Amino acid sequence: MKLASLDSVQNAHDDSIWTAAWVRSTEESPALLLTGGLDETVRLWDPSNFTCVQTFTGHCLGVVSVATHPTRRIAASASLDSFIRVFEVDTNKTIATLEAPPSEVWQLQFSPNGNNLAAAGGGSSSVKLWDTTQWQLVVTLSIPRQGASQPSDKGSNKKFVLSVAWSPDGRLLACGSVDGTISVFDVARAKFLHFLDGHNMPVRSLVFSPSLHDSRILFSASDDGHVHVYDAEGKILLTSLSGHASWVLSVDVSPDGGAIATGSSDKTVRLWDLKMRAATQTLTNHTDQVWAVAFGPTSRTDVRSCMLASVSDDKSLSFYQYS
């Protein structure tokens, strides 16, 4: 497995780029990439020619997260302005505007079946789930104090939430906090299950293995410089990967489940072979910290091949071929 650099778009945004997500392909439309930046815009990219095909406005502060629906051509963007904007990718038509308290949405993720949108909830120590038909808040999953079995409203015990991920079967939801803990919930019962320990600094990115056979496997990226691999249901730390010289800001897993990519404040993107449990490649396309890495859908002609995108504080967007 390897990554081959395809192209880098300089000044892809007018300010730092913090987030990226792929839009699924349809029979009529190819896969596209969404990016969000501190210039308050979301931009849509055609990876076949590495060009921006549309710039979406609608936020009045920087965009910190974008998420795309698994079956419909819709997306959601979260901003420092405390609003979540849900829109049609092809027309930019606003479908819904969801309001959250200040600093309460740092990461968004649609459920695998597309029925819910999860918003990682900042200082409220919770993840909010919105239904995607009426766009109503349906449940708030609150993180309990460690050592307590029930959630608490005591301010001193708050865990500032930065990241969120769904298991591929939609049963589990995990969120990462500033204190280094990861909380795991049973979604159907809206029940907190347990903490995953091991990190001692903020957990900024989480992703589950895409395979239903490995649906319990969770990857986490932390400011402590490590990537952890957990059995999220069994509450087991399976392995710890290290190699970055600084904070690990983002992690994503390849569609074949055989590799992960990470982005770091050491300005590099790394590819890790999960069987070898080691980094096999370090890419230095960026000149500043790499806030997001995102694997695209598999190629229609080769199911073992796909694209990877990375975005950075240097305002650039890089594309790679994974094979």
Side-chain angles (χ1 to χ4, degrees), residues 57-129:
T57 57
H59 289 292
C60 59
L61 287 172
V63 176
V64 295
S65 181
V66 290
T68 54
H69 194 276
T71 59
R72 295 155 62 191
R73 299 272 286 191
I74 67 171
S77 56
S79 166
L80 296 170
D81 64 13
S82 302
F83 287 97
I84 300 168
R85 180 174 178 261
V86 185
F87 58 95
E88 291 182 356
V89 171
D90 297 315
T91 65
N92 193 30
K93 177 185 175 184
T94 299
I95 297 170
T97 302
L98 314 176
E99 188 172 3
S103 301
E104 286 302 279
V105 183
W106 284 96
Q107 209 169 86
L108 301 172
Q109 198 72 51
F110 283 97
S111 60
N113 63 10
N115 290 344
N116 293 108
L117 175 66
S124 68
S125 302
S126 68
V127 176
K128 293 177 172 59
L129 302 187

Side-chain angles (χ1 to χ4, degrees), residues 6-64:
L6 295 174
D7 198 17
S8 289
V9 182
Q10 303 303 316
N11 297 308
H13 280 252
D14 298 331
D15 205 335
S16 299
I17 313 173
W18 275 16
T19 180
W22 289 86
V23 181
R24 65 181 292 273
S25 61
T26 64
E27 290 184 4
E28 302 84 26
S29 307
L32 300 171
L33 182 76
L34 281 174
T35 57
L38 296 191
D39 60 0
E40 303 171 10
T41 70
V42 173
R43 302 194 181 194
L44 185 66
W45 301 86
D46 182 346
S48 67
N49 54 19
F50 315 114
T51 57
C52 179
V53 294
Q54 206 165 352
T55 298
F56 304 141
T57 57
H59 289 292
C60 59
L61 287 172
V63 176
V64 295

Side-chain angles (χ1 to χ4, degrees), residues 136-191:
Q136 299 295 315
L137 181 65
V138 290
V139 68
T140 298
L141 304 174
S142 297
I143 302 171
R145 290 178 295 123
Q146 273 183 288
S149 59
Q150 296 297 319
S152 169
D153 288 328
K154 293 182 180 178
S156 62
N157 301 306
K158 295 285 189 184
K159 290 177 179 288
F160 195 99
V161 182
L162 291 173
S163 51
V164 66
W166 295 84
S167 63
D169 56 13
R171 290 189 311 112
L172 302 178
L173 187 142
C175 63
S177 299
V178 164
D179 66 356
T181 58
I182 299 166
S183 306
V184 181
F185 294 89
D186 177 320
V187 177
R189 295 187 294 161
K191 178 179 172 59

Side-chain angles (χ1 to χ4, degrees), residues 305-323:
S305 176
C306 70
M307 292 179 78
L308 176 79
S310 62
V311 297
S312 167
D313 263 348
D314 66 11
K315 310 178 194 176
S316 76
L317 161 64
S318 287
F319 291 96
Y320 317 83
Q321 190 69 41
Y322 168 77
S323 59

Side-chain angles (χ1 to χ4, degrees), residues 144-315:
R145 290 178 295 123
Q146 273 183 288
S149 59
Q150 296 297 319
S152 169
D153 288 328
K154 293 182 180 178
S156 62
N157 301 306
K158 295 285 189 184
K159 290 177 179 288
F160 195 99
V161 182
L162 291 173
S163 51
V164 66
W166 295 84
S167 63
D169 56 13
R171 290 189 311 112
L172 302 178
L173 187 142
C175 63
S177 299
V178 164
D179 66 356
T181 58
I182 299 166
S183 306
V184 181
F185 294 89
D186 177 320
V187 177
R189 295 187 294 161
K191 178 179 172 59
F192 171 81
L193 296 179
H194 46 248
F195 291 110
L196 301 176
D197 297 317
H199 290 298
N200 55 31
M201 291 180 73
V203 177
R204 295 186 188 269
S205 183
L206 295 168
V207 64
F208 277 89
S209 170
S211 168
L212 290 173
H213 301 295
D214 296 323
S215 62
R216 299 155 55 120
I217 304 302
L218 177 70
F219 304 93
S220 60
S222 171
D223 286 7
D224 61 17
H226 298 288
V227 176
H228 285 175
V229 185
Y230 293 95
D231 175 341
E233 198 162 11
K235 199 180 173 182
I236 302 166
L237 175 60
L238 299 174
T239 191
S240 179
L241 305 172
S242 58
H244 278 293
S246 188
W247 302 354
V248 189
L249 301 174
S250 180
V251 60
D252 199 16
V253 60
S254 62
D256 63 11
I260 58 171
T262 52
S264 169
S265 59
D266 67 9
K267 309 175 187 177
T268 69
V269 171
R270 294 191 183 217
L271 182 70
W272 307 76
D273 184 315
L274 293 175
K275 285 185 178 177
M276 295 173 55
R277 299 187 177 186
T280 57
Q281 246 181 303
T282 301
L283 296 108
T284 56
N285 295 34
H286 294 291
T287 59
D288 208 334
Q289 52 192 11
V290 181
W291 275 107
V293 289
F295 279 103
T298 54
S299 165
R300 291 178 178 177
T301 56
D302 182 0
V303 295
R304 295 170 299 177
S305 176
C306 70
M307 292 179 78
L308 176 79
S310 62
V311 297
S312 167
D313 263 348
D314 66 11
K315 310 178 194 176

